[in-house]
Amino acid sequence: VVLNSMRLLLTGRFREGRIGRVVGAVNRGVATVTGPFAALSWAGLAEGWSRVRAPAVRWGRVAAPLGYLLGTSVFAIRPREAGVVRRFGHVVAAGLRPGLHVKWPYPVERLTRLQPEYVRVAEIGYRTIPGKANAPSVEPAAYEWSTQHRAGRFQKIPDESLMFSGDEILVEVNAVCQYSVSDNAAYLFNAANTDELVRSAAESALRETVRHTPFEAVITTGRHAVEQHAAEELQRMLDRYRCGVRVHRFHLQDVHPPIEVVDAYRDVASAYEEKTTLVNQAEAYRNEQLPLARG
């Protein structure tokens, strides 16, 4: 259509001289190109469709249901994945391994994929900002107690991190819990949001553990015991909930007094160190003078 329009436009405007000869050559070339397609008219198309319409409809009636059945019945489970199949809501297969499988077409049976071996993380006291997990960090390797954390890859959640120790001293705790799926069907269907349930239960278990641990032990030598006890308590809670989760470990990442009382805490620590120094000096003097007095 475009070539014919150009040919008619040029023929209508230029008919004489050298331009006319050029236009004639163009017309001949256009005719050569468009010659094979001259038969493609509306009448020809309608006639051709009338010939193939009946076979096309007949084969389409067969191909459409067959394609739907194959597309919704045959599926593949990728490596490190597991498949859970439900038939009208009832779980009929809870651990399909990687490979090719067949099920009843949708909506009779539905497939849900998940990665049971993937180690998931529940963050307590902070959140990793989406999109910045792998970005270069603007935070230092370590913070002092009196330094406010910068807004880098992490966002602090003060309501979660602030806890009471066993001797009723406030302490800020940032921790992470690592867990994985132990029961595919229970993880998917026994809770509306299993990951959020694990995070809430992990916070509760950690608070309960810190509440029975002295402040000095939480920030120094008792951290490993706190982590182990919190992991065991969390596993007992999740087993009662039947959410199909296996806890691997707890890790206390950052434990320190609240920033508002760091100066007071350092004064107390300095006074305690001074007291210990004076007591040691007094005991050394006593141990020196008593043998002399006996002599």
Side-chain angles (χ1 to χ4, degrees):
V1 173
V2 175
L3 294 176
N4 282 328
S5 300
M6 294 176 60
R7 179 168 60 85
L8 293 174
L9 181 63
L10 293 175
T11 304
R13 289 189 178 182
F14 307 102
R15 295 181 179 276
E16 299 178 355
R18 183 178 302 175
I19 297 179
R21 290 193 296 271
V22 173
V23 171
V26 172
N27 290 338
R28 290 191 295 272
V30 171
T32 303
V33 173
T34 60
F37 302 97
L40 295 179
S41 60
W42 286 109
L45 292 176
E47 183 181 357
W49 170 246
S50 63
R51 294 177 181 176
V52 301
R53 180 176 58 185
V57 172
R58 185 167 55 252
W59 284 105
R61 290 175 180 176
V62 177
L66 183 60
Y68 177 79
L69 292 176
L70 292 177
T72 59
S73 300
V74 181
F75 61 95
I77 301 296
R78 293 185 288 270
R80 297 186 178 181
E81 279 189 348
V84 178
V85 178
R86 291 173 292 162
R87 183 181 302 158
F88 297 118
H90 179 70
V91 177
V92 295
L96 296 179
R97 295 181 176 275
L100 197 63
H101 302 273
V102 179
K103 65 178 182 62
W104 286 100
Y106 179 88
V108 177
E109 290 186 350
R110 302 187 181 188
L111 169 68
T112 304
R113 305 171 186 269
L114 75 161
Q115 296 178 328
E117 298 179 0
Y118 176 74
V119 178
R120 293 164 169 81
V121 173
E123 299 169 336
I124 304 171
Y126 73 99
R127 296 291 186 275
T128 301
I129 300 176
K132 294 187 178 182
N134 299 323
S137 177
V138 297
E139 301 178 357
Y143 280 104
E144 294 184 358
W145 284 356
S146 58
T147 303
Q148 181 67 42
H149 292 203
R150 303 173 189 172
R153 293 183 298 159
F154 309 108
Q155 177 186 2
K156 286 182 62 64
I157 310 295
D159 293 341
E160 293 181 4
S161 61
L162 199 60
M163 305 179 184
F164 266 115
S165 64
D167 43 7
E168 297 184 355
I169 298 178
L170 284 174
V171 56
E172 287 191 7
V173 181
N174 292 337
V176 61
C177 172
Q178 298 177 350
Y179 64 97
S180 61
V181 178
S182 60
D183 189 328
N184 300 331
Y187 176 82
L188 290 174
F189 309 118
N190 284 6
N193 190 337
T194 305
D195 293 329
E196 183 61 25
L197 173 64
V198 173
R199 196 212 59 75
S200 299
E203 179 186 352
S204 177
L206 182 59
R207 287 185 181 276
E208 183 69 16
T209 304
V210 173
R211 188 175 67 86
H212 291 88
T213 307
F215 176 78
E216 293 291 339
V218 173
I219 66 173
T220 55
T221 58
R223 296 182 61 163
H224 178 69
V226 170
E227 294 172 348
Q228 185 175 3
H229 186 274
E232 295 173 355
E233 179 65 21
L234 175 60
Q235 187 65 69
R236 286 193 291 269
M237 296 173 63
L238 296 178
D239 290 343
R240 291 197 300 269
Y241 297 151
R242 299 179 182 178
C243 58
V245 170
R246 180 175 63 254
V247 178
H248 293 287
R249 61 168 300 187
F250 244 101
H251 179 61
L252 301 182
Q253 293 187 329
D254 188 12
V255 183
H256 59 80
I259 295 178
E260 294 80 5
V261 299
V262 165
D263 294 337
Y265 179 82
R266 284 181 171 172
D267 293 339
V268 173
S270 299
Y272 181 79
E273 291 177 357
E274 184 178 357
K275 169 192 171 183
T276 304
T277 301
L278 293 176
V279 169
N280 292 336
Q281 292 176 356
E283 290 180 350
Y285 178 76
R286 182 191 64 180
N287 294 334
E288 180 182 355
Q289 293 300 320
L290 284 180
L292 294 177
R294 291 192 185 97

